[in-house]
Amino acid sequence: MKDPYEVLGVNKNASMDEIRAAYKEQVKKYHPDKYQNNPLSSLAEEKMQEINEAYDYLSKNHSGGGGGYSGSGSTGYSPELQQVRQMMNAGNIFGAESALNKCSARNAEWYFLSGMISYRKGWYDDAVNKMQTAVSMEPNNAEYRQGLNAVMGTGGMYRNASYGQGYNSREDMACKLCQAYLCFDCLCDCI
């Protein structure tokens, strides 16, 4: 990982508020949604990953004076999970899923990546559940919160279209009709 202060464009003596402001500015500038159907979309995704890693590192390790970045290249996540991220970025979703399932640690990063795999496979409810677990395990992780919000926004239109037909949003209209017919049949001998 590059120097997180350099990635966010702040000096080593910056306050946490300055770091947050710089992070938000970078997110607005490089968010992948701005680059949909654009040849620069993969570059924007890489940049966002770099920005999120830098912000996560500084959120956990910033002392407010003189830095604390060792430049070791570690983001605090296991090498297996880093490999899963790389496979996902390369578009190898099934390879990433296979590698993720081999990981023994079930930490917030694992649930986040598993949710992202579900999202890319079109399994929105599963993605939301896993990403909510990741956010509940690490509520201060901005990447997890942004991912959950994006999945809920995208998947919501599909969930509403498929579930919003019955009396209750989770019940099928055909079942309701059958129930009504059976009840009516029991009450009236003329059918």
Side-chain angles (χ1 to χ4, degrees):
M1 179 171 85
K2 294 180 181 176
D3 182 348
Y5 295 99
E6 184 180 317
V7 169
L8 294 177
V10 296
N11 70 34
K12 295 186 190 298
N13 295 321
S15 69
M16 206 51 217
D17 289 335
E18 292 171 319
I19 291 171
R20 253 185 238 104
Y23 170 74
K24 287 179 182 179
E25 183 180 319
Q26 294 287 333
V27 167
K28 286 178 188 175
K29 186 176 181 181
Y30 293 106
H31 198 280
D33 289 348
K34 288 180 68 174
Y35 295 93
Q36 287 182 341
N37 300 325
N38 187 321
L40 299 175
S41 64
S42 61
L43 190 61
E45 284 181 26
E46 289 176 25
K47 185 68 175 173
M48 274 302 299
Q49 181 178 352
E50 188 176 276
I51 291 166
N52 286 326
E53 288 175 0
Y55 182 73
D56 287 343
Y57 179 86
L58 292 178
S59 295
K60 295 173 186 171
N61 301 306
H62 180 66
S63 62
Y69 175 67
S70 64
S72 64
S74 171
T75 62
Y77 301 122
S78 69
E80 295 90 7
L81 295 177
Q82 285 296 87
Q83 182 182 16
V84 169
R85 276 186 180 265
Q86 290 171 353
M87 283 187 216
M88 287 175 63
N89 288 338
N92 185 0
I93 300 304
F94 294 105
E97 182 177 30
S98 175
L100 188 65
N101 289 332
K102 292 177 185 173
C103 294
S104 59
R106 296 291 194 262
N107 57 15
E109 176 77 353
W110 187 92
Y111 281 102
F112 174 74
L113 293 174
S114 183
M116 289 302 295
I117 288 170
S118 293
Y119 172 70
R120 290 194 180 175
K121 291 169 85 176
W123 301 348
Y124 298 108
D125 288 336
D126 187 54
V128 168
N129 290 335
K130 288 177 178 175
M131 294 177 96
Q132 284 175 334
T133 301
V135 169
S136 69
M137 292 173 83
E138 284 189 29
N140 295 328
N141 189 310
E143 179 184 22
Y144 299 168
R145 280 185 277 119
Q146 285 178 341
L148 176 61
N149 291 338
V151 169
M152 289 181 75
T154 302
M157 65 183 166
Y158 297 105
R159 283 193 301 273
N160 289 339
S162 62
Y163 292 135
Q165 301 297 320
Y167 294 105
N168 184 331
S169 64
R170 296 274 182 198
E171 295 176 346
D172 187 23
M173 186 62 156
C175 288
K176 286 293 186 182
L177 289 172
C178 287
Q179 287 174 342
Y181 176 76
L182 289 172
C183 289
F184 188 69
D185 187 40
C186 290
L187 294 173
C188 182
D189 290 332
C190 59
I191 296 181

